[in-house]
Amino acid sequence: MSSGRGLMANSSQFTLEGKPFRILGGSIHYFRVPKAHWEDRLLKMKACGLNTLTTYVPWNLHEPERGMFNFQDQLDLKAYICLAAKLGLWVILRPGPYICAEWDLGGLPSWLLQDKHMQLRTTYPGFVSAVNAYFDKLIPLIKHLMFQGGGPIIAVQVENEYGSYAKDDKYMAFIKNCLLSRGITELLLTSDNWEGLKCGGVEEALKTVNLQRLSFGAIQYLSDMQPQRPLMVMEYWSGWFDVWGENHHIFQADDMLAVVSEILERGVSINLYMFHGGSSFGFMNGAMDFGTYKSQVNSYDYDAPLSEAGDYTPKYHVLRTLFSQYHSEPLPDVPSLQKRSAYHPVDVQQYLCLWDTLRFADKQLKSEKPINMENLPVNNNNGQSYGYTLYETTITSGGTLHSMNNIRDRALVFVDRQPVGSLNYKTQELTIPDGKRERTLTLLVENCGRVNYGKALDNQRKGLVGDITLNNAPLRDFTIYCLDMRPSFMKRLSSAPWKSVPHKPSFPGFFQATLHVEESPRDTFLNMSDWGKGVVLINGQNLGRHWFIGPQYYLYVPGPWLRRGENQIIVFEEHKSEEKLVFAENPDHGKTIDVYKLPFCTLL
């Protein structure tokens, strides 16, 4: 794609190949969009008038176990960047290692937390060595895709929003050197919100700003910090993300358009975050914790210009009209929408009690004291990253069970495998019924997602992270089961003693149904509004969580994950099941709240 000089920031305007250049960018994360849909989403981006794709790179997907790397299939970053080039889009790469992104631990691998002294996002030796090993693998894969190598990558971001973390004044220089020493020669950028600009940045990298409204004077502040340098809004937040138990966030198209128009009128480059959000499939959602822990939903619809399923929204059309004014040639035609199907409801036919699945877990672990997920000796000693962990011990009396605030993040509690209640951040005490004989106490602990932003990153170990007490005495001698719902575990369940669904099934349990698809599979949504709480898997692929508290009740089912003929659906359900699984063409987002009417501090 390239000839001559790359993206330069030596004056008040960007230049590319020696000519003035305005970045009209949009974020689409390859890891949140099924690979078969990449081209559709990028063509829609191009037709909207954007010229640049931005994407994060999630370390925790690319190195799920220390030293085991995956850049294939859905994670084929090289293929994604090459596709962007083929379609005529430039690329700004945001390789982290920390990415935020409403993604578990901000994209950092959970195995880093096995070190009890770990200091993430600092020059702590254990973190430095892990970053170096990761970049040794990542950078050679994409270096030849830089502008100077004939590729589409015109800029690379150094870390992400470090001004809001700022725990180590040597850290950003270390990350910058990680890029430079491995041959990255394109323009380097940093990205911070208006408050983070004060502590963010690194020498010889262009600062950019993240925002949604202009009332704080952030652009002028950025201009004053970098006189005679180009101005860019790296993240213009086109909507907002959702957390469990609250309303779906929206951002009206007219309010968004007014701000974007003003940004462009002031000669500022822009990147829409998100242009298309997609889905945080499986257990990869992040969480917030600014005094109160809030887990994020799987849908990353974000109220973006393209919906979670790739539909055009009113924002798309008004932006296309606006961006067309910044092109001398007519924009490409808008691609046709892909059809979806509301498949007929399917009967839930088979059932498997949770207790009958324990022998299919990786191994039965014994420990005198509780062990947190990350330090369990599973997955080649990389620990358990996601899902549920079950802890069992023996008790000889009833009384007060106290979590000591050591449950991360919520636990269902059973005595002799009968439910007696639950524990979480708010509920830390539970009365255990009296009993004189020995009984089995079980805690099914769910990791609801690690915090992805803020200064609590080092404290994101999950499961039981310390003692729990019964009548003030710490419990001991645990049997521990890893229930991470990985494909290997789900495959072993195929040989489990599945039964017809009883009239009154006990919970938790696994429920199985079969979807028959007669023609080429299409995208659809699974309506889980009448179920309780749990996880849905289709053909072994983890769609994500469902929870009756909302706001997300519909799980996006990509057509490429289905096949013609029989499709296996397994629902892990904690509380309440239905006789059928129901599909829909479109989701219902339920009650909404306008982010533009919220105080900015409530968003961050």
Side-chain angles (χ1 to χ4, degrees), residues 71-91:
F71 289 91
Q72 304 298 316
D73 304 318
Q74 182 64 48
L75 296 176
D76 193 341
L77 174 60
K78 177 182 174 182
Y80 187 61
I81 295 172
C82 289
L83 177 61
K86 174 186 171 184
L87 300 179
L89 291 165
W90 300 106
V91 174

mmCIF file of all heavy atoms in Angstrom, residues 71-91:
data_model
loop_
_atom_site.group_PDB
_atom_site.id
_atom_site.type_symbol
_atom_site.label_atom_id
_atom_site.label_comp_id
_atom_site.label_asym_id
_atom_site.label_seq_id
_atom_site.Cartn_x
_atom_site.Cartn_y
_atom_site.Cartn_z
ATOM 1 N N PHE A 71 -2.028 -17.643 17.104
ATOM 2 C CA PHE A 71 -2.329 -16.590 16.137
ATOM 3 C C PHE A 71 -3.011 -17.204 14.917
ATOM 4 O O PHE A 71 -2.773 -16.772 13.785
ATOM 5 C CB PHE A 71 -1.048 -15.850 15.731
ATOM 6 C CG PHE A 71 -0.482 -14.974 16.821
ATOM 7 C CD1 PHE A 71 0.462 -15.480 17.707
ATOM 8 C CD2 PHE A 71 -0.888 -13.663 16.967
ATOM 9 C CE1 PHE A 71 0.988 -14.687 18.717
ATOM 10 C CE2 PHE A 71 -0.364 -12.859 17.977
ATOM 11 C CZ PHE A 71 0.578 -13.375 18.855
ATOM 12 N N GLN A 72 -3.867 -18.189 15.152
ATOM 13 C CA GLN A 72 -4.520 -18.914 14.075
ATOM 14 C C GLN A 72 -6.021 -18.653 14.092
ATOM 15 O O GLN A 72 -6.604 -18.239 15.103
ATOM 16 C CB GLN A 72 -4.254 -20.422 14.226
ATOM 17 C CG GLN A 72 -2.790 -20.813 14.277
ATOM 18 C CD GLN A 72 -2.048 -20.450 13.010
ATOM 19 O OE1 GLN A 72 -2.540 -20.655 11.902
ATOM 20 N NE2 GLN A 72 -0.850 -19.903 13.162
ATOM 21 N N ASP A 73 -6.658 -18.955 12.947
ATOM 22 C CA ASP A 73 -8.115 -18.958 12.837
ATOM 23 C C ASP A 73 -8.704 -17.634 13.330
ATOM 24 O O ASP A 73 -8.387 -16.591 12.799
ATOM 25 C CB ASP A 73 -8.691 -20.168 13.585
ATOM 26 C CG ASP A 73 -8.113 -21.489 13.085
ATOM 27 O OD1 ASP A 73 -7.972 -21.632 11.859
ATOM 28 O OD2 ASP A 73 -7.778 -22.342 13.915
ATOM 29 N N GLN A 74 -9.559 -17.692 14.359
ATOM 30 C CA GLN A 74 -10.199 -16.487 14.864
ATOM 31 C C GLN A 74 -9.192 -15.455 15.356
ATOM 32 O O GLN A 74 -9.479 -14.257 15.388
ATOM 33 C CB GLN A 74 -11.158 -16.851 16.007
ATOM 34 C CG GLN A 74 -11.929 -15.704 16.616
ATOM 35 C CD GLN A 74 -12.887 -15.027 15.645
ATOM 36 O OE1 GLN A 74 -13.643 -15.693 14.961
ATOM 37 N NE2 GLN A 74 -12.844 -13.702 15.570
ATOM 38 N N LEU A 75 -8.000 -15.903 15.710
ATOM 39 C CA LEU A 75 -6.974 -15.016 16.261
ATOM 40 C C LEU A 75 -5.873 -14.698 15.245
ATOM 41 O O LEU A 75 -4.767 -14.311 15.617
ATOM 42 C CB LEU A 75 -6.368 -15.644 17.517
ATOM 43 C CG LEU A 75 -7.349 -15.834 18.676
ATOM 44 C CD1 LEU A 75 -6.672 -16.550 19.834
ATOM 45 C CD2 LEU A 75 -7.924 -14.501 19.141
ATOM 46 N N ASP A 76 -6.181 -14.840 13.969
ATOM 47 C CA ASP A 76 -5.200 -14.608 12.912
ATOM 48 C C ASP A 76 -5.085 -13.108 12.647
ATOM 49 O O ASP A 76 -5.687 -12.561 11.714
ATOM 50 C CB ASP A 76 -5.604 -15.359 11.647
ATOM 51 C CG ASP A 76 -4.480 -15.419 10.620
ATOM 52 O OD1 ASP A 76 -3.543 -14.606 10.719
ATOM 53 O OD2 ASP A 76 -4.551 -16.271 9.710
ATOM 54 N N LEU A 77 -4.322 -12.452 13.482
ATOM 55 C CA LEU A 77 -4.150 -11.004 13.398
ATOM 56 C C LEU A 77 -3.580 -10.592 12.045
ATOM 57 O O LEU A 77 -4.007 -9.591 11.453
ATOM 58 C CB LEU A 77 -3.239 -10.534 14.536
ATOM 59 C CG LEU A 77 -2.825 -9.058 14.542
ATOM 60 C CD1 LEU A 77 -4.039 -8.152 14.626
ATOM 61 C CD2 LEU A 77 -1.864 -8.781 15.696
ATOM 62 N N LYS A 78 -2.627 -11.353 11.556
ATOM 63 C CA LYS A 78 -2.022 -11.033 10.257
ATOM 64 C C LYS A 78 -3.080 -11.030 9.156
ATOM 65 O O LYS A 78 -3.121 -10.116 8.321
ATOM 66 C CB LYS A 78 -0.927 -12.056 9.946
ATOM 67 C CG LYS A 78 -0.274 -11.879 8.587
ATOM 68 C CD LYS A 78 0.776 -12.962 8.342
ATOM 69 C CE LYS A 78 1.334 -12.877 6.922
ATOM 70 N NZ LYS A 78 2.329 -13.962 6.666
ATOM 71 N N ALA A 79 -3.959 -12.033 9.154
ATOM 72 C CA ALA A 79 -5.008 -12.106 8.134
ATOM 73 C C ALA A 79 -5.954 -10.909 8.235
ATOM 74 O O ALA A 79 -6.424 -10.381 7.220
ATOM 75 C CB ALA A 79 -5.781 -13.414 8.274
ATOM 76 N N TYR A 80 -6.238 -10.485 9.452
ATOM 77 C CA TYR A 80 -7.142 -9.352 9.665
ATOM 78 C C TYR A 80 -6.542 -8.061 9.116
ATOM 79 O O TYR A 80 -7.208 -7.296 8.417
ATOM 80 C CB TYR A 80 -7.422 -9.217 11.167
ATOM 81 C CG TYR A 80 -8.471 -8.201 11.543
ATOM 82 C CD1 TYR A 80 -9.780 -8.317 11.090
ATOM 83 C CD2 TYR A 80 -8.153 -7.127 12.376
ATOM 84 C CE1 TYR A 80 -10.749 -7.390 11.459
ATOM 85 C CE2 TYR A 80 -9.115 -6.201 12.756
ATOM 86 C CZ TYR A 80 -10.419 -6.338 12.297
ATOM 87 O OH TYR A 80 -11.379 -5.434 12.661
ATOM 88 N N ILE A 81 -5.262 -7.840 9.414
ATOM 89 C CA ILE A 81 -4.595 -6.635 8.926
ATOM 90 C C ILE A 81 -4.480 -6.664 7.405
ATOM 91 O O ILE A 81 -4.697 -5.646 6.729
ATOM 92 C CB ILE A 81 -3.218 -6.497 9.596
ATOM 93 C CG1 ILE A 81 -3.385 -6.281 11.108
ATOM 94 C CG2 ILE A 81 -2.429 -5.350 8.982
ATOM 95 C CD1 ILE A 81 -2.087 -6.331 11.882
ATOM 96 N N CYS A 82 -4.175 -7.826 6.859
ATOM 97 C CA CYS A 82 -4.070 -7.948 5.397
ATOM 98 C C CYS A 82 -5.421 -7.719 4.726
ATOM 99 O O CYS A 82 -5.491 -7.146 3.625
ATOM 100 C CB CYS A 82 -3.518 -9.318 5.018
ATOM 101 S SG CYS A 82 -1.759 -9.539 5.405
ATOM 102 N N LEU A 83 -6.493 -8.174 5.362
ATOM 103 C CA LEU A 83 -7.827 -7.936 4.816
ATOM 104 C C LEU A 83 -8.131 -6.437 4.785
ATOM 105 O O LEU A 83 -8.687 -5.925 3.803
ATOM 106 C CB LEU A 83 -8.870 -8.676 5.650
ATOM 107 C CG LEU A 83 -10.334 -8.462 5.253
ATOM 108 C CD1 LEU A 83 -10.591 -8.929 3.819
ATOM 109 C CD2 LEU A 83 -11.258 -9.197 6.229
ATOM 110 N N ALA A 84 -7.759 -5.730 5.853
ATOM 111 C CA ALA A 84 -7.955 -4.283 5.876
ATOM 112 C C ALA A 84 -7.213 -3.629 4.714
ATOM 113 O O ALA A 84 -7.754 -2.740 4.033
ATOM 114 C CB ALA A 84 -7.483 -3.713 7.208
ATOM 115 N N ALA A 85 -5.980 -4.061 4.474
ATOM 116 C CA ALA A 85 -5.195 -3.511 3.370
ATOM 117 C C ALA A 85 -5.862 -3.795 2.030
ATOM 118 O O ALA A 85 -5.956 -2.912 1.163
ATOM 119 C CB ALA A 85 -3.783 -4.093 3.395
ATOM 120 N N LYS A 86 -6.350 -5.000 1.864
ATOM 121 C CA LYS A 86 -7.018 -5.394 0.618
ATOM 122 C C LYS A 86 -8.221 -4.501 0.338
ATOM 123 O O LYS A 86 -8.517 -4.179 -0.822
ATOM 124 C CB LYS A 86 -7.448 -6.854 0.726
ATOM 125 C CG LYS A 86 -8.278 -7.365 -0.435
ATOM 126 C CD LYS A 86 -8.765 -8.776 -0.158
ATOM 127 C CE LYS A 86 -9.779 -9.226 -1.213
ATOM 128 N NZ LYS A 86 -10.333 -10.572 -0.894
ATOM 129 N N LEU A 87 -8.911 -4.082 1.389
ATOM 130 C CA LEU A 87 -10.112 -3.270 1.233
ATOM 131 C C LEU A 87 -9.808 -1.771 1.218
ATOM 132 O O LEU A 87 -10.729 -0.954 1.168
ATOM 133 C CB LEU A 87 -11.103 -3.588 2.359
ATOM 134 C CG LEU A 87 -11.567 -5.044 2.423
ATOM 135 C CD1 LEU A 87 -12.528 -5.256 3.586
ATOM 136 C CD2 LEU A 87 -12.214 -5.479 1.118
ATOM 137 N N GLY A 88 -8.524 -1.421 1.304
ATOM 138 C CA GLY A 88 -8.132 -0.019 1.196
ATOM 139 C C GLY A 88 -8.199 0.760 2.481
ATOM 140 O O GLY A 88 -8.383 1.989 2.468
ATOM 141 N N LEU A 89 -8.028 0.088 3.619
ATOM 142 C CA LEU A 89 -8.042 0.750 4.918
ATOM 143 C C LEU A 89 -6.633 0.774 5.506
ATOM 144 O O LEU A 89 -5.907 -0.228 5.448
ATOM 145 C CB LEU A 89 -8.977 0.017 5.885
ATOM 146 C CG LEU A 89 -10.473 0.098 5.582
ATOM 147 C CD1 LEU A 89 -11.227 -0.955 6.392
ATOM 148 C CD2 LEU A 89 -11.021 1.490 5.874
ATOM 149 N N TRP A 90 -6.250 1.905 6.065
ATOM 150 C CA TRP A 90 -5.040 1.969 6.861
ATOM 151 C C TRP A 90 -5.325 1.383 8.237
ATOM 152 O O TRP A 90 -6.484 1.208 8.619
ATOM 153 C CB TRP A 90 -4.543 3.409 6.989
ATOM 154 C CG TRP A 90 -4.232 4.059 5.672
ATOM 155 C CD1 TRP A 90 -4.966 5.017 5.031
ATOM 156 C CD2 TRP A 90 -3.103 3.790 4.828
ATOM 157 N NE1 TRP A 90 -4.380 5.352 3.845
ATOM 158 C CE2 TRP A 90 -3.232 4.619 3.688
ATOM 159 C CE3 TRP A 90 -2.018 2.926 4.906
ATOM 160 C CZ2 TRP A 90 -2.302 4.616 2.649
ATOM 161 C CZ3 TRP A 90 -1.084 2.925 3.881
ATOM 162 C CH2 TRP A 90 -1.227 3.754 2.764
ATOM 163 N N VAL A 91 -4.282 1.106 9.002
ATOM 164 C CA VAL A 91 -4.451 0.448 10.302
ATOM 165 C C VAL A 91 -3.620 1.166 11.359
ATOM 166 O O VAL A 91 -2.453 1.497 11.131
ATOM 167 C CB VAL A 91 -4.028 -1.038 10.241
ATOM 168 C CG1 VAL A 91 -4.073 -1.672 11.634
ATOM 169 C CG2 VAL A 91 -4.920 -1.818 9.279
#
